[in-house]
């Protein structure tokens, strides 16, 4: 089959690789119908996260089960399924409590020895624990299929951020980060009943999506000016709930600056850089909580799926560029240059 | 009256100061029956927190209302009351939601212009919002009075840490810090239904109190050896809930090292030093939450008071040395040299 590989910073290739097969009886092989490029893939693309030459890449996909091992009981060939961005065994303590990202037998797509999502097919370990079935008729609904793909990462990650930030009915929420995850954080906050959602961002194409997703206010300023603007909008107090969907020192500093005393920062931006951006003395004096991390999206798919199926939650606008498999390197380039928000891949 | 003042590092004096009087109609004056010395007072004593020469000190006290301003409606002369370690107006948004430490009109005892707890009497701003009434007959019960004094800070702070750590029925809890707050964290965790409480500490006098307060295990190791010991005790996973009651970089690092994936660190140790001890990448990968800060003990007193009154929660063993007002400097010395855990002051 053909799949995307990374050989060096900015050197992505789409090349022939061995066809995936069932190796363990708990495996399934999934033929990819939709995949996409994540903001976190760019860290590998830019060389800021190390990769071995030739390693696969991509961790978001949905598709059709092609074959399943003897011990797979939940799925069979022909099933439409979505995969979360980590696989997990479905049987350990952590999986049982919905923290599949800590499964000792779990792993990330594209790590050495595993397939990545940006290819024609993927061998899925622990298929019963990992995959979630989708209605068969969704396979013929192009728009719905795109929306469902967001369940593999960005929608669940936005939901995780909103939970970490403590969003509930009537909350005032501020969202730092106008990428696909930040925008899905807006969507998740609205779904959880937030009354006011302040999106920080300066790119109109993105803030327009934020407004469509439920943002009531947009703050285009950055740094201290952004903090002042959010305080101005919140009677000087700041937002109860802050979603941090960037992962830089500056974005975390902004998050601390705009959160209300006693509030919480739900952080899902993969941490980068040497500093944390956290001033613990300020957080201490103001009782600011920090909750989040890598999102156990497998736990959230069953809850979010019905809302995506009935259209009440539609994350599909985050995909603003579609490519075929051969177009993946161009897609990365577009996201790296911020001419695309999130790239959809149709292999 | 006589009160404790601080003039320079290690230079505490007990000297004559003006008698407190009602200045604002919302003030009350409280004659101090019991006060004490806090671990955080030692930071001022050692010069690690700046103080103006002659500034008052001490933020924990209970006593008898001596006079009250015209607008004080809840208290009158003769009432036995306990004061939390900050005053608060009782009417703002933050007070209404139980975060009195963020009250814009609130303040800390002993800040310039205010009285400290380690003196004969205290002018209490916003008496209605600040003070909590105690049963009059407690005034003649020496043991109970000592236990009730812990409501002014350490018991409520331990409770705040336990809430921040997410302690609930059946939790496994680890407590970093064997001072009075850490020990009260043990007590609070037991009260909230923790099944297993692991106290980190190497001073037998203190770990004996921890066991009496409900600790099921004691870990005497420090640093990485302590982390290994806690993991050994928890099937390799760590503790769901960790109470951080020290405030140093090392103690926070230990807290991160012993918390279970998906768990929470309830931090109440006043942060000291330049580093936070937080590795955000580790916290991200393991979904570790951080919640806590300066405890709004005013909010907790009504909930904790009945348990102290009926003896089901008795924090009094944390007081292991009693002095009169003239003995306060000796009391600080004893705590600084760790020959005393917490010093009770009977003015």
């Amino acid at each position: 089959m053909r799949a995307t590989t990374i050989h060096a910073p900015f050197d992505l290739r789409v090349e022939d690789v061995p066809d995936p097969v069932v190796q363990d009886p708990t495996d399934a092989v999934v033929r990819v119908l939709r995949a996409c490029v994540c903001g976190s893939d760019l860290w590998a693309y830019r060389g800021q996260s190390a990769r071995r030459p030739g390693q696969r890449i991509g961790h978001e996909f949905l598709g059709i089960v092609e074959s399943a091992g003897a011990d797979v009981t939940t799925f069979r060939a022909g099933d439409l399924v979505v995969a979360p961005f980590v696989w997990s065994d479905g049987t350990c303590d952590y999986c049982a409590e919905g923290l599949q990202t800590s499964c000792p037998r779990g792993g990330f797509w594209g790590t050495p020895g595993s397939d990545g999502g940006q290819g024609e097919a993927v061998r899925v370990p622990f298929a019963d624990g990992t995959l979630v079935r989708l209605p068969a008729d969704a396979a013929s609904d192009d728009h719905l299929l795109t929306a469902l793909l967001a369940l593999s990462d960005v929608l669940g990650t936005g939901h995780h951020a909103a939970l970490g930030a403590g969003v509930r009915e009537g909350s005032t929420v501020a969202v730092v980060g106008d990428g696909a995850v930040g925008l899905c954080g807006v969507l998740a906050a609205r779904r959880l009943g937030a009354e006011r959602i302040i999106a920080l961002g300066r790119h109109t194409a993105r803030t327009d999506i934020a407004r469509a997703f439920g943002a009531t206010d947009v703050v285009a300023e950055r740094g201290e000016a952004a903090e002042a603007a959010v305080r101005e909008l919140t009677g000087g107090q700041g937002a109860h709930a802050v979603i941090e969907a960037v992962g830089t020192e500056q974005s975390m500093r902004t998050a601390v600056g705009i959160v209300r005393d006693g509030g919480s920062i739900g952080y899902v931006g993969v941490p980068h850089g040497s500093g944390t951006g956290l001033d613990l003395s300020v957080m201490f004096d103001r009782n600011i909580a920090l909750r989040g991390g890598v999102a156990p999206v497998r736990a959230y798919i069953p809850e979010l799926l019905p809302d995506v199926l009935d259209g009440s939650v539609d994350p599909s606008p985050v995909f603003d560029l579609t490519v075929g498999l051969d177009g993946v390197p161009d897609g990365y380039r577009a996201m790296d240059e911020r001419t695309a928000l999130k790239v959809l891949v149709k292999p």
Side-chain angles (χ1 to χ4, degrees), chain A:
Chain A
M1 69 160 180
R2 291 170 63 72
T4 310
T5 55
I6 181 163
H7 291 261
F10 306 102
D11 180 4
L12 285 182
R13 303 177 198 172
V14 179
E15 52 192 357
D16 288 324
V17 300
D19 285 332
V21 294
V22 168
Q23 292 175 10
D24 295 315
T26 51
D27 287 351
V29 170
V30 172
R31 174 77 32 189
V32 176
L33 285 182
R34 293 283 185 285
C36 53
V37 182
C38 183
S40 67
D41 290 331
L42 294 180
W43 297 105
Y45 180 69
R46 293 168 181 156
Q48 288 159 310
S49 302
R51 290 291 184 276
R52 290 191 204 162
Q55 202 175 318
R56 306 289 178 79
I57 193 163
H59 54 261
E60 301 154 286
F61 64 96
L62 57 72
I64 304 284
V65 174
E66 199 168 73
S67 58
D71 291 351
V72 176
T73 61
T74 321
F75 304 101
R76 57 181 178 180
D79 284 347
L80 180 67
V81 292
V82 62
F85 65 86
V86 299
W87 70 80
S88 52
D89 67 13
T91 57
C92 72
D93 288 354
Y94 291 109
C95 284
E97 67 193 61
L99 193 66
Q100 288 87 346
T101 47
S102 288
C103 173
R105 297 197 287 180
F108 282 77
W109 309 112
T111 46
S114 77
D115 295 315
Q118 293 156 12
E120 289 181 330
V122 174
R123 180 181 72 86
V124 176
F126 306 109
D128 283 332
T130 303
L131 299 170
V132 178
R133 187 193 319 278
L134 301 172
D137 54 2
S140 56
D141 184 335
D142 188 68
H143 182 92
L144 179 58
L145 217 48
T146 301
L148 290 167
L149 177 62
L151 291 167
S152 65
D153 184 344
V154 288
L155 184 58
T157 297
H159 181 66
H160 190 55
L163 293 181
V167 176
R168 50 177 181 259
E169 202 73 41
S171 291
T172 294
V173 185
V175 181
V176 182
D178 61 1
V181 170
L183 294 170
C184 284
V186 172
L187 206 49
R190 190 197 60 182
R191 181 179 171 277
L192 291 168
E195 189 174 301
R196 190 158 193 192
I197 303 174
I198 304 165
L200 279 69
R202 47 173 52 198
H203 301 275
T204 316
R206 298 177 178 212
T207 56
D208 284 350
I209 298 175
R211 287 192 190 275
F213 280 6
T216 53
D217 302 88
V218 167
V219 165
E221 289 85 352
R222 303 184 75 166
E224 287 183 14
E227 295 176 26
V230 174
R231 293 198 168 271
E232 173 83 26
L233 287 169
T234 54
Q237 294 188 338
H240 290 88
V242 174
I243 289 174
E244 195 292 299
V246 181
T248 63
E249 194 176 336
Q250 177 55 46
S251 63
M252 191 63 95
R253 194 172 292 124
T254 298
V256 172
I258 63 179
V259 68
R260 185 176 184 275
D261 287 23
S264 183
I265 299 169
Y267 74 112
V268 292
V270 183
H272 285 92
S274 55
T276 62
L278 297 172
D279 184 329
L280 204 55
S281 291
V282 169
M283 293 174 69
F284 184 88
D285 288 348
R286 298 178 49 217
N287 269 280
I288 297 169
L290 182 71
R291 280 188 301 204
V294 55
V297 299
R298 176 62 185 82
Y300 301 140
I301 296 175
E303 179 185 343
L304 299 171
L305 177 58
D307 290 4
V308 178
L309 288 174
D310 73 14
S312 59
V313 169
D314 179 9
S316 65
V318 301
F319 299 102
D320 62 345
L321 177 64
T322 301
V323 298
L325 200 52
D326 288 334
V328 167
D330 291 337
Y332 274 77
R333 200 171 305 117
M335 282 180 62
D336 182 46
E337 293 167 355
R338 289 177 73 91
T339 58
L341 171 56
K342 190 169 180 71
V343 172
L344 180 69
V345 182
K346 294 183 176 179

